[in-house]
Amino acid sequence: MRWTKTLIPTLREDPQEAEIDSHKLLLRAGLIRKLAGGLYTFLPLGLRVLHKVERIVREEMDRAGALEILMPALHPREIWERSGRYSIMGDVMFRLADRQKKDFVLGPTHEEIVTELAAGELRSYRLVPRTFYQIQAKFRDEIRPRFGLMRAKEFIMKDAYSFDVDSQAADASYDAMYQAYVRIFKRCGIRTKVVEADTGAMGGKWSHEFMVLADSGEDGLVECTSCSYAANLERAERQPPEPAVWETGDDLPEPVATPGQRTIEEVAAFLKCKPAQLIKTMIYRLDGKPAAILVPGDREINEHKLPQALNVREAVLADEATIASVTGAPVGFAGPIGLTIPVYADLGLKGIRGGVTGANRADTHTRHVSLDRDAAITAYADLCVVKGGDRCPRCGADLAEQRGIEVGHVFKLGTKYTEAFNASFLDENGHQQTLIMGCYGIGVTRTLQSIIEQSRDANGIIWPTAVAPYPVIVLPMNVQHEPTMAVVNRLVGELETRGIEVLVDDRDERPGVKFKDSDLVGFPIRVVVGERGLAKQQVEIKRRRDTQAVMSPLDEALTTIVNMIQHDTQQE
Ligand code: ATP
Ligand code: MG
């Protein structure tokens, strides 16, 4: 392909709209253009990369035995009502009506649709196991579409769904997808970290996320500095710390006036104590019933962990009226002593002495609190958001905190959807049994951008060979010089015969402009053909990720380039 025949609208300046480097580079390298918030057009080079990522995904899905299908993106409302998710999905789902005023949605994911298919088709044990997948646009009305392709309103997902006869077989399907994901991300040239994840609205048994470590990541995660434990912060656990002994514990609880001091910071400053000495008391509704949740003052409650830890379906913060009625005090002065509702405390509060809490009275706190002695604790549990420096739940070593971008997610779902859709099969003995399901997603467009986020420098993108828009760019220094163009055309012809895709920068531009653009777009191998080199029968070959170029004799250039590509594709 020739530069002058395609469309590569590179930009010199960082576009205003872009916040993170990979987003800036997608725009500056002329790979995508914005239509509106969260909606993007792929230009020729961007689309080439997208197709390459999709091809890797397809090859690995096929290799793992999954079957490609294509489901509609437009779904009738009824099918989402059957699982209960028509309401649970809330505002994230795009909803619309046809001319007969029948309600439809644009698919944010496809569990319902594929389970309907399985219910109709997988009726005998002879047809199970089956894993289906598709690569398709998904629609989500995100609260904050941002960072380009990272969080878009329309994006491309590979979603796969497995159906098995029993739990053990379902584990094998899960494992096959997990291994396929490891291979996919490796072939795309990105390093991922697999973490234990929250099952959230999917309502599954367990799940893992594939994270690309990056400071710009929207997800927090911890990994153990000693063993292999790693988890999303939504899900991460910790071993209880040493008991917080601030005082001997001989003093009895004592009210202290704290006029107008409501927040942890205000009270700690006013009473000249550490935030950690405070016992944060929040009133929640657990499946509708009020309960107090206590965590150390310097910690946050992890709402994702509450349902499982406290064995409830739903945990939501109580409103002001409820807080006033169960504590008898305005918001900001709740404490566990004397409450008649259940009180759940984080393990980090076990054995605390000399704690400070709200006194359930306006403008008053209580000090010298020994929680076990002074309050009726219903149960201690792991309730707070884990932080770097906490102890690993497996081995006790320090946990380290990092940021990550979720590029893939695998779920063991169980029977949540198959029960709702009556997806059952006849087993060998003629008995009706429910199918066991798993679901597996890869954000294909998010993966594309994550590759850039992880592989770039001050000058631009550094594409891994397997996904580069073209693995080779050839720069003729002077397009008017006929011998130069003759060499270029011959080399390009030979490379293309070998199945290697080449872009020729045939613009009549200064060399500086061509070098800059070649680095910005990030082609893995750059070949410079200039009059000075040709005088010595040489061309210059340089890898994007290397600082040094090599001069290669003309008649060896082809072999050198082919070998580099082979070597690099295996290395990445
Ligand atoms: P997130 O927590 O980032 O919102 P999710 O957990 O809701 O994502 P899943 O339902 O697990 O996402 O979707 C599968 C994959 O699709 C994700 O792992 C992610 O890579 C990708 N993805 C999800 N939402 C978006 C989006 N708005 N834009 C681009 N990719 C997305
Ligand atoms: Mg997810």
Side-chain angles (χ1 to χ4, degrees):
M1 175 57 80
R2 315 237 144 200
W3 194 294
T4 56
K5 298 280 184 293
T6 178
L7 180 67
I8 313 174
T10 56
L11 307 172
R12 286 284 147 261
E13 304 293 326
D14 278 342
Q16 285 270 312
E17 67 188 80
E19 293 156 90
I20 61 173
D21 287 345
S22 52
H23 185 197
K24 289 177 193 162
L25 288 171
L26 275 169
L27 292 162
R28 283 192 52 205
L31 302 172
I32 62 167
R33 281 296 180 264
K34 176 172 157 180
L35 171 67
L39 298 172
Y40 292 89
T41 297
F42 279 81
L43 299 183
L45 255 47
L47 189 63
R48 288 183 74 86
V49 180
L50 181 60
H51 284 159
K52 290 189 179 186
V53 175
E54 287 181 352
R55 183 158 148 206
I56 291 173
V57 171
R58 261 196 190 96
E59 284 175 4
E60 294 301 337
M61 284 293 115
D62 294 347
R63 170 141 61 141
L67 305 166
E68 184 167 10
I69 60 172
L70 184 58
M71 293 178 270
L74 189 63
H75 311 160
R77 167 184 180 155
E78 294 75 50
I79 196 153
W80 281 86
E81 268 173 349
R82 257 197 273 167
S83 66
R85 286 210 293 182
Y86 189 75
S87 58
I88 291 173
M89 278 282 167
D91 289 340
V92 89
M93 200 143 81
F94 281 104
R95 297 158 202 258
L96 63 165
D98 71 4
R99 63 175 79 206
Q100 263 114 34
K101 306 276 184 299
K102 278 190 59 178
D103 291 333
F104 288 81
V105 307
L106 290 177
T109 176
H110 278 68
E111 282 76 16
E112 281 76 359
I113 317 307
V114 77
T115 312
E116 169 82 354
L117 178 79
E121 306 304 326
L122 305 181
R123 319 260 341 196
S124 155
Y125 70 93
R126 288 197 191 87
L127 292 164
V128 187
R130 288 290 185 276
T131 295
F132 300 111
Y133 79 96
Q134 61 173 353
I135 297 177
Q136 184 208 38
K138 295 281 186 275
F139 300 86
R140 295 188 184 178
D141 195 356
E142 300 278 1
I143 302 176
R144 280 232 284 164
R146 58 178 185 157
F147 301 157
L149 306 175
M150 292 293 194
R151 186 166 296 284
K153 283 192 162 118
E154 176 181 343
F155 59 97
I156 295 181
M157 196 200 285
K158 185 286 302 174
D159 45 330
Y161 308 89
S162 61
F163 296 91
D164 278 283
V165 294
D166 58 27
S167 185
Q168 211 185 340
D171 288 351
S173 297
Y174 184 92
D175 200 49
M177 284 296 113
Y178 185 113
Q179 297 308 333
Y181 277 31
V182 170
R183 286 196 298 270
I184 287 167
F185 294 122
K186 184 161 188 295
R187 286 183 61 188
C188 286
I190 38 177
R191 296 177 303 281
T192 51
K193 176 99 207 156
V194 187
V195 303
E196 291 181 12
D198 185 38
T199 48
M202 283 291 184
K205 294 248 154 72
W206 71 70
S207 78
H208 289 96
E209 284 166 346
F210 287 73
M211 293 281 189
V212 170
L213 298 182
D215 292 338
S216 65
E218 291 186 285
D219 282 284
L221 54 103
V222 285
E223 59 177 327
C224 180
T225 51
S226 171
C227 75
S228 64
Y229 178 77
N232 192 309
L233 281 186
E234 290 177 355
R235 147 105 188 197
E237 298 166 335
R238 61 169 182 161
Q239 275 185 20
E242 297 299 318
V245 179
W246 303 99
E247 296 170 358
T248 59
D250 296 336
D251 294 324
L252 290 177
E254 177 188 47
V256 48
T258 50
Q261 315 294 312
R262 290 163 192 271
T263 66
I264 296 287
E265 292 70 31
E266 286 166 0
V267 177
F270 188 80
L271 295 178
K272 299 194 172 48
C273 64
K274 292 232 163 68
Q277 199 169 343
L278 270 62
I279 300 169
K280 194 191 272 186
T281 307
M282 308 285 275
I283 309 300
Y284 273 75
R285 280 189 177 275
L286 305 179
D287 289 343
K289 298 200 204 76
I293 309 284
L294 316 184
V295 294
D298 61 340
R299 309 299 297 237
E300 299 300 324
I301 294 173
N302 187 338
E303 295 193 349
H304 297 280
K305 285 201 291 194
L306 294 183
Q308 213 185 349
L310 305 177
N311 201 13
V312 295
R313 251 183 319 104
E314 188 188 61
V316 289
L317 262 182
D319 57 26
E320 279 191 33
T322 309
I323 297 170
S325 89
V326 302
T327 67
V331 176
F333 300 96
I337 302 176
L339 289 182
T340 54
I341 53 174
V343 178
Y344 298 100
D346 179 65
L347 285 167
L349 289 171
K350 203 161 188 171
I352 185 171
R353 285 190 223 155
V356 176
T357 87
N360 297 325
R361 207 194 307 162
D363 297 331
T364 316
H365 279 75
T366 305
R367 62 182 169 195
H368 309 315
V369 175
S370 292
L371 204 54
D372 311 291
R373 180 192 65 192
D374 303 326
I377 303 299
T378 314
Y380 284 96
D382 178 21
L383 304 177
C384 69
V385 180
V386 165
K387 286 205 280 212
D390 282 347
R391 286 167 19 173
C392 171
R394 299 266 171 77
C395 76
D398 278 359
L399 292 171
E401 212 174 318
Q402 283 184 299
R403 310 240 21 113
I405 302 161
E406 178 196 324
V407 285
H409 201 164
V410 290
F411 266 98
K412 186 168 177 200
L413 282 172
T415 55
K416 178 180 155 133
Y417 297 97
T418 47
E419 265 168 25
F421 285 83
N422 254 325
S424 59
F425 65 99
L426 278 185
D427 70 13
E428 280 171 88
N429 306 315
H431 295 135
Q432 202 82 17
Q433 292 208 45
T434 306
L435 289 161
I436 314 283
M437 193 172 166
C439 72
Y440 318 92
I442 289 183
V444 177
T445 37
R446 186 184 284 185
T447 298
L448 185 159
Q449 188 171 338
S450 302
I451 299 171
I452 302 175
E453 193 62 27
Q454 204 174 62
S455 188
R456 61 189 158 80
D457 64 14
N459 298 323
I461 304 170
I462 306 173
W463 285 113
T465 312
V467 293
Y470 292 89
V472 180
I473 183 165
V474 177
L475 305 190
M477 286 296 87
N478 177 2
V479 291
Q480 312 291 354
H481 185 242
E482 272 174 29
T484 296
M485 293 318 281
V487 166
V488 166
N489 291 336
R490 197 175 65 232
L491 182 61
V492 170
E494 286 169 346
L495 284 166
E496 285 176 345
T497 312
R498 304 271 183 127
I500 295 170
E501 300 156 335
V502 191
L503 182 73
V504 181
D505 190 348
D506 59 342
R507 291 177 297 172
D508 198 358
E509 282 280 5
R510 282 178 293 115
V513 171
K514 294 190 181 188
F515 285 132
K516 268 214 164 65
D517 276 345
S518 153
D519 278 355
L520 174 60
V521 183
F523 304 97
I525 296 173
R526 184 188 79 191
V527 183
V528 177
V529 184
E531 286 168 57
R532 223 174 307 151
L534 284 185
K536 289 185 264 171
Q537 291 293 301
Q538 286 183 337
V539 293
E540 183 202 276
I541 303 176
K542 180 181 169 299
R543 280 195 178 92
R544 173 66 177 86
R545 59 179 158 81
D546 291 345
T547 41
Q548 288 297 319
V550 292
M551 292 309 292
S552 160
L554 247 184
D555 53 3
E556 288 172 19
L558 178 68
T559 325
T560 307
I561 296 166
V562 172
N563 287 345
M564 272 184 175
I565 290 176
Q566 256 165 14
H567 174 269
D568 293 354
T569 324
Q570 275 155 18
Q571 288 281 302
E572 283 159 356

